[in-house]
Amino acid sequence: MSRAVRVAVFRPDDDRMADAVALLESLGTVVVPDPMLAVDPTGNVPREAGSDAGDGVDPDVVVLTSKTGVELLAEAGWSPGDAALACIGPKTAAKAREAGWNVDLVPEEYSSSGLVAALEGEGGSETLSDAAADVITDGVATL
């Protein structure tokens, strides 16, 4: 790198921060890590398959959009039941597999749009992230 570049990194203070800092430092940048993002679990989990909660209809597909969400669900003892499990990318899928869940779908494009495109034709779904981009919830509504 021919000139000094300073990069601020805003990630939770976990492996995501460490990975980002290591990568940027390897590229010769001056890194300013700021763990301004924090996870504040609510304790809520999606309804279990077969329960009477919500509309009483078991989802065909469960969508997970973050590895942190997977970790929180696993800690709460939640399971996708018989629903197909779709994960937004390989890190989310790896965490889901670590939790003992079968992952049925990981889109080729690791984005909200890629996930919606991959879900086309998969039937109904339940989105498990308040932070999921509107493109996921809007896209799933059209399936």
Side-chain angles (χ1 to χ4, degrees):
M1 187 172 288
S2 60
R3 62 181 208 195
V5 176
R6 182 179 308 260
V7 179
V9 179
F10 304 107
R11 305 294 295 167
D13 195 12
D14 60 16
D15 59 321
R16 291 168 285 189
M17 175 68 83
D19 291 348
V21 169
L23 173 64
L24 290 165
E25 286 178 344
S26 76
L27 297 172
T29 65
V30 175
V31 182
V32 181
D34 186 348
M36 65 179 275
L37 302 175
V39 176
D40 187 16
T42 64
N44 294 332
V45 296
R47 81 177 171 83
E48 295 289 337
S51 78
D52 292 331
D55 60 10
V57 177
D58 289 343
D60 297 320
V61 180
V62 174
V63 177
L64 298 174
T65 59
S66 77
K67 74 180 199 81
T68 302
V70 172
E71 292 166 347
L72 294 172
L73 290 171
E75 287 172 15
W78 180 86
S79 157
D82 293 331
L85 186 59
C87 294
I88 196 163
K91 291 182 180 180
T92 305
K95 281 294 177 186
R97 289 182 186 107
E98 283 179 29
W101 307 333
N102 292 323
V103 175
D104 300 291
L105 178 73
V106 179
E108 289 184 31
E109 177 188 327
Y110 312 138
S111 69
S112 299
S113 297
L115 184 57
V116 169
L119 284 168
E120 288 179 352
E122 293 292 328
S125 65
E126 182 173 341
T127 302
L128 307 183
S129 172
D130 288 341
D134 289 342
V135 70
I136 293 176
T137 52
D138 292 348
V140 165
T142 65
L143 295 177

